[in-house]
Structure formats: C-alpha cells, structure tokens
Amino acid sequence: MKLSTTTLPYLENTGQLLVRLSDLGHRVALESSNFEHPNGRWSIISAAPVKSLELPKKESLSTFLTEIHDLYKVLPHIDSNLPFCGGLIGHLSYDLGIEKVNSKKHNAHPLILCSLYTWAYVIDHQKKETTLVYWPEISLQSETYLKDIYTQSLLSPALKSGDFKLTQPFTAKWSKDEYKNKIDKIHDYILNGDTYQVNLAQSFSSKFTGDSTHAYLALKKAAKVPFASFFEGENWSFASATPELFLQLDDQRIRTKPIKGTRPRLNNDQLDQQQIAELKNSIKDKAENLMIVDLLRNDLSKNATDVTVESLFEVESFSTVHHLVSTISAKITNKNAIQILIDAFPGGSITGAPKKRAMEIITELEEGPRSFYCGSTFYLSSNKKMNSNILIRGFLFAEGEVTCWAGGGIVADSNWEDEYQESLDKISKLMSALSNQ
C-alpha cells in the first residue's frame, strides 16, 4: 500500500466540514483553537474508519490490546513529518483505570473505543495549509469525494448557529453542603495517611435538542485551547475543550505536561497580571503540581529511562483561566506505544496521589462513572507518532441529556469554598457558551 497526500487550501473554520461529514459516522476532530500555543499548530479531522473496536469490560483488556496492536499493523509504517498519516484514533474512558469497575455504576459507553482511520484532513495552522492523507487501497470513500466535501466547506465556511439548544439550565448534582462534606471526608483520609491529594470532580447536567456538533464548535471557540476534541458513538458524542497534553511520543522520546494550579481570567489587564503573579508564587499550587510531577515521573519510568523534568511551574494562559504547567520527558524502552499509554493511564493530574488510593476515594465519593471525562483521546499514526490529551472540560451528549464535570486537587490545606469556586471557574464560561447557542 502507498499513501497519497494532496495539499489543499487552508481552512481555519472547520464547522462546515464537520457537519458535512456527519453522514459518514464516527467523526473525530482533534483540533487546536489556540494557534499561538506551542502545541497549537495542528488540527486533524476524519470519519468513517474501516474498522472499530470497543472494549465493554475490563476483564478482556489483555486480549483487546492485542487486537488493537494487530489493527495498527494493517497500515505500513512510513516516514513523514506530518503528525498523522492514517492510523489509530482511540478514546479511553476514565473508568478503564478503576481496578474493579462496578457494573451498576458504570454507564453504557465503552471503556475503550479505537478505530483505524485511513484518511484525514491534517490542517497546519502555522503554514496555513491542509494536507489530505489518504490510503487508496483500503479507504471506504473515494479521494475525489473527500476533496469535494472540503471544497464545499471552503466555499461556505460560515455556519448558522441555532441547531443546538439547551432546554433547561445546568444544575449541579451536589448541593454546596454535599460538596463540603466530601471535602471533609478527603481531609479525614489525608490526616489518616491514606492519601495526600485527591482530585474530586462534581458534575452538572442539562437537557438539549439538536446537533451536538454545534455545541462542540461553541466550546472550542469559547475555550481557545490546543487539544480540543470531538468524537461520537452510535447514540452519543463527547466534546472536550481541554488545554492538557497527556502523552506525546516522537522520535523515541515521550513527553507529558500535567496541569495543576488554576486562576480565572479577569477582564482588567492589571488585575489579570496579578492573577498570574499570584499563581506563580502560590506555595499550595506549586506543592500540588510537584506531587503530580513526581507521580508522572514514576509512571513514565515503567517504560522509559532518562526521565527529565524539563520545566516546573510555567504559567500558560487560556481564554477562561491561567494554569500552572510542568513538563516531563523520558526516552522510551518499550516500543509498544499503546502499552505505554495504558501503563500511565489515567493521568495523575486528574486522580491525585498516590494514584491507586486516590482513585478508590474518588469512586467512593463521586458515586457514579466519569465516562470519558478525565479519560484520553489519542492517535497513533502510521509514521509512529503518538499524541494524546486529557479529556477535562468535557461534555457528554446522550439521549437528550448533556453532562459536564469540573474538579480540582484537594490537599490538606484546601479550603472547600475556594475549591468549589475553582471548579466553577473552570467550567462556568463553557456552560454559558452552550446556554447562548
């Protein structure tokens, strides 16, 4: 088999393209809406995979990973500087990481959904051009058809809003008193030595009508992040406006960029700069971040050597919040990229530390599945490049109901009211973006 590549005109607004691809099924969008960010160069859009695999139960994980590896080998390995040249795109539910998944609490969505995509629009926001990558011998759609859809999207890039609507306001699952009681319980666990950080998330829900594609586009526009994603199953879809990289593999080097530490953006420039300074100098936030850096150093060392902390406590600013970000890298010793991903999953920044006990406490206190929230979307390209995000700022659309989550790391000196407000800072502007559709 031989890969075909075609250079196409640049398409900054991908809304029309995503809508036009809807009839093909299993659409996936891995997009940057923050082109100035160091990780914001590329967007990848595809649909109609030639084969999809779903893992419904964790007991079958070992066999399933072998099937994924075999699916990856369908396309030959090639040399290319593009991030994606066809290959696997998959989605891991947070619940995959739970040691014993309670079937009564686990929802109907797969623990892993992984598909082989044999064509994609790879959009370079730096060079302002798009490449259609296409494997002709195996793709289900003709190359001409895919070029035509793209051309039509170029000719009419504007997208009418209004095809998505919330029919009631978002409501929190927990009252403030319930949230406080859960923070108190975590503090008890910390004082007893069970754990030293737990990432507790509260959920919000609403009802909707219309196409969730439009909701995703509104979220992407509001958040302006480098790792936004949208994907769908048979009767559900998931949108994430995440700023967080999980694992990136390129040239035998694995890299992760955990986020821990948040301040809301303010409209006044001077006050906004004060927010940045406060975050940079926060002993509490830096301590939380360092806990997760140590956890991820350990996770990477399972399949790598030369584990290096490239940067600590850098502030990255987005349209809604400022975040404290660190960067860790290592040289891989295991060439099985999927196994590396699974061994580090879920990301430490959304569990706490130590990871296993923190996740047990999360399961106890949250009393319900996170689904793909805090999971990961990844691609493993035929040129051996892998990238993945952490699905925070996530919205699940299913059967007319939309659910979203927001959380934060709880440590010994956490104040429950501050933590409650931080969770709202992370998600409220995104909920408003959907309410204004």
Side-chain angles (χ1 to χ4, degrees):
M1 286 191 285
K2 187 176 180 180
L3 178 68
S4 169
T5 61
T6 305
T7 301
L8 301 171
Y10 179 58
L11 179 65
E12 180 176 344
N13 185 348
T14 58
Q16 277 282 2
L17 183 59
L18 279 170
V19 170
R20 292 178 186 277
L21 292 172
S22 60
D23 289 341
L24 299 184
H26 285 279
R27 290 171 299 165
V28 62
L30 314 178
E31 296 195 84
S32 170
S33 57
N34 186 342
F35 309 149
E36 303 302 318
H37 190 278
N39 300 116
R41 179 177 178 180
W42 302 98
S43 291
I44 300 165
I45 293 176
S46 189
V50 295
K51 186 174 183 179
S52 294
L53 300 173
E54 292 189 6
L55 176 68
K57 296 180 180 179
K58 188 172 180 180
E59 290 77 10
S60 311
L61 178 60
S62 179
T63 301
F64 187 80
L65 293 180
T66 300
E67 293 175 0
I68 290 178
H69 192 65
D70 290 342
L71 187 61
Y72 176 58
K73 292 188 291 186
V74 169
L75 296 180
H77 290 162
I78 61 168
D79 292 323
S80 173
N81 291 323
L82 291 171
F84 186 74
C85 303
L88 300 181
I89 299 179
H91 320 284
L92 309 179
S93 165
Y94 168 86
D95 304 322
L96 173 70
I98 300 173
E99 190 164 309
K100 293 182 179 179
V101 178
N102 187 328
S103 59
K104 292 182 180 179
K105 293 182 179 180
H106 177 62
N107 57 27
H109 308 122
L111 295 174
I112 303 178
L113 172 61
C114 185
S115 305
L116 180 64
Y117 288 85
T118 57
W119 60 266
Y121 305 104
V122 182
I123 303 171
D124 187 339
H125 300 295
Q126 190 178 97
K127 289 187 176 181
K128 299 287 192 281
E129 66 180 24
T130 297
T131 302
L132 173 61
V133 296
Y134 181 81
W135 292 89
E137 290 91 343
I138 192 172
S139 294
L140 301 178
Q141 279 69 41
S142 73
E143 197 169 11
T144 301
Y145 173 77
L146 298 175
K147 290 177 182 177
D148 287 346
I149 282 184
Y150 190 86
T151 300
Q152 292 166 19
S153 302
L154 279 171
L155 295 174
S156 55
L159 192 68
K160 292 181 180 179
S161 61
D163 197 25
F164 174 90
K165 184 179 181 180
L166 295 181
T167 57
Q168 64 185 48
F170 276 99
T171 56
K173 179 180 178 181
W174 304 329
S175 68
K176 278 192 173 183
D177 284 343
E178 287 175 311
Y179 183 88
K180 178 184 181 299
N181 290 339
K182 292 175 188 295
I183 300 298
D184 290 342
K185 185 67 174 176
I186 291 173
H187 280 152
D188 289 341
Y189 280 126
I190 292 172
L191 290 172
N192 289 331
D194 284 63
T195 182
Y196 41 91
Q197 183 177 164
V198 175
N199 197 91
L200 184 73
Q202 61 171 324
S203 65
F204 306 83
S205 62
S206 179
K207 301 289 186 180
F208 76 95
T209 59
D211 182 359
S212 60
T213 311
H214 295 259
Y216 161 69
L217 295 170
L219 293 170
K220 185 180 71 164
K221 181 179 179 181
K224 292 183 171 58
V225 291
F227 299 109
S229 59
F230 175 81
F231 55 95
E232 58 189 356
E234 293 303 320
N235 298 299
W236 56 268
S237 60
F238 193 90
S240 171
T242 177
E244 187 164 5
L245 171 73
F246 181 31
L247 295 181
Q248 180 184 55
L249 176 62
D250 190 6
D251 195 25
Q252 305 301 303
R253 195 105 191 140
I254 195 84
R255 180 172 282 102
T256 185
K257 293 180 66 176
I259 289 174
K260 191 56 66 178
T262 303
R263 292 294 184 278
R265 295 296 303 263
L266 300 178
N267 292 328
N268 181 288
D269 288 343
Q270 184 176 353
L271 294 177
D272 200 46
Q273 288 300 312
Q274 289 177 11
Q275 292 285 82
I276 293 175
E278 181 183 308
L279 182 57
K280 278 184 176 180
N281 296 311
S282 168
I283 295 174
K284 174 182 176 292
D285 287 297
K286 289 195 286 189
E288 288 182 28
N289 192 290
L290 189 59
M291 290 178 195
I292 303 308
V293 167
D294 285 342
L295 188 156
L296 285 166
R297 287 173 64 219
N298 179 69
D299 282 349
L300 292 186
S301 68
K302 297 173 184 177
N303 292 290
T305 59
D306 186 28
V307 179
T308 304
V309 179
E310 296 183 2
S311 65
L312 271 176
F313 315 143
E314 298 287 335
V315 173
E316 293 189 6
S317 298
F318 303 94
S319 63
T320 58
V321 291
H322 303 290
H323 278 314
L324 205 61
V325 184
S326 295
T327 303
I328 310 110
S329 69
K331 183 179 180 181
I332 63 169
T333 55
N334 183 347
K335 293 184 179 181
N336 187 333
I338 298 297
Q339 192 62 56
I340 294 172
L341 187 71
I342 295 296
D343 286 347
F345 185 80
S349 64
I350 47 77
T351 59
K355 184 186 284 189
K356 180 180 177 182
R357 185 64 182 119
M359 291 181 69
E360 290 171 349
I361 296 169
I362 288 169
T363 300
E364 172 194 336
L365 296 179
E366 292 187 6
E367 303 174 323
R370 286 183 170 183
S371 183
F372 291 104
Y373 169 69
C374 286
S376 178
T377 284
F378 71 91
Y379 68 75
L380 178 58
S381 172
S382 55
N383 61 357
K384 300 184 181 180
K385 294 179 186 288
M386 182 183 77
N387 209 348
S388 60
N389 64 12
I390 291 186
L391 293 169
I392 55 176
R393 321 287 140 84
F395 290 73
L396 174 66
F397 303 88
E399 298 178 350
E401 183 172 6
V402 53
T403 304
C404 63
W405 297 257
I410 310 302
V411 293
D413 57 350
S414 291
N415 175 281
W416 78 267
E417 290 172 304
D418 292 342
E419 298 296 341
Y420 186 86
Q421 185 58 48
E422 180 180 316
S423 69
L424 295 182
D425 291 339
K426 291 173 178 176
I427 201 69
S428 58
K429 289 184 180 179
L430 300 180
M431 291 193 291
S432 295
L434 299 193
S435 300
N436 294 332
Q437 280 294 100

